[in-house]
Amino acid sequence: MGTFRTLEEAREYFQKDRFATENGMTLEEFGEDYAVCEMTLGERHKNANGGIMGGVIFTIADFAFAVLANQIHMPTVAQQVSINYLGAPKGERLIARSTCRKNGHTSTIINVDVTDDTGRDIAQFVGTGFKL
């Protein structure tokens, strides 16, 4: 069994991830080997060119990574991450779904796929979590 027993328990803990939550990111689902975070996009998330800032996309991916990594083992911190931006969001929401690729003794490898609510692929994130 993971760190959190209920969605409410996990949401309460991750309310302390203030940068993510104050920018509108929410934990919608989680299980032993996945987590789903979502957010509604608004004007405050746009860059100077009118598109969604890359940091917003990175942050929701990092948030989904953190939820799953700490569900697997708490505390876990990011050791290395990479992101590939695949396309600009066209919808009104971002959805980040994290899945565990490898759960090792001292580290985890987690993949996060970010899409928008139209089904468009937005980013692919891979993170290595170090178990403290």
Side-chain angles (χ1 to χ4, degrees):
M1 172 164 270
T3 302
F4 306 106
R5 287 180 281 240
T6 66
L7 182 59
E8 293 73 28
E9 188 178 311
R11 282 179 174 159
E12 182 177 333
Y13 180 81
F14 283 101
Q15 277 300 114
K16 293 180 251 174
D17 259 3
R18 293 185 56 198
F19 186 77
T21 58
E22 289 179 11
N23 278 287
M25 298 171 197
T26 60
L27 171 58
E28 296 298 316
E29 298 176 42
F30 84 103
E32 293 293 316
D33 60 355
Y34 80 99
V36 178
C37 296
E38 296 186 13
M39 70 178 297
T40 299
L41 298 169
E43 288 299 312
R44 68 181 174 157
H45 301 115
K46 291 185 177 180
N47 61 26
N49 293 319
I52 300 303
M53 188 163 219
V56 172
I57 298 164
F58 182 91
T59 300
I60 195 167
D62 186 54
F63 189 41
F65 164 83
V67 171
L68 182 54
N70 284 280
Q71 171 66 358
I72 292 168
H73 174 88
M74 185 182 289
T76 294
V77 296
Q79 183 174 32
Q80 190 282 329
V81 301
S82 65
I83 191 166
N84 290 308
Y85 295 99
L86 305 173
K90 301 294 184 196
E92 297 178 4
R93 293 186 60 75
L94 287 180
I95 301 107
R97 181 179 180 88
S98 58
T99 55
C100 183
R101 177 78 171 115
K102 168 108 171 110
N103 182 9
H105 181 68
T106 60
S107 64
T108 57
I109 307 297
I110 293 173
N111 294 338
V112 183
D113 292 316
V114 181
T115 60
D116 69 10
D117 56 339
T118 72
R120 183 177 174 88
D121 288 327
I122 305 304
Q124 180 183 37
F125 173 108
V126 178
T128 301
F130 181 74
K131 297 176 180 180
L132 297 177

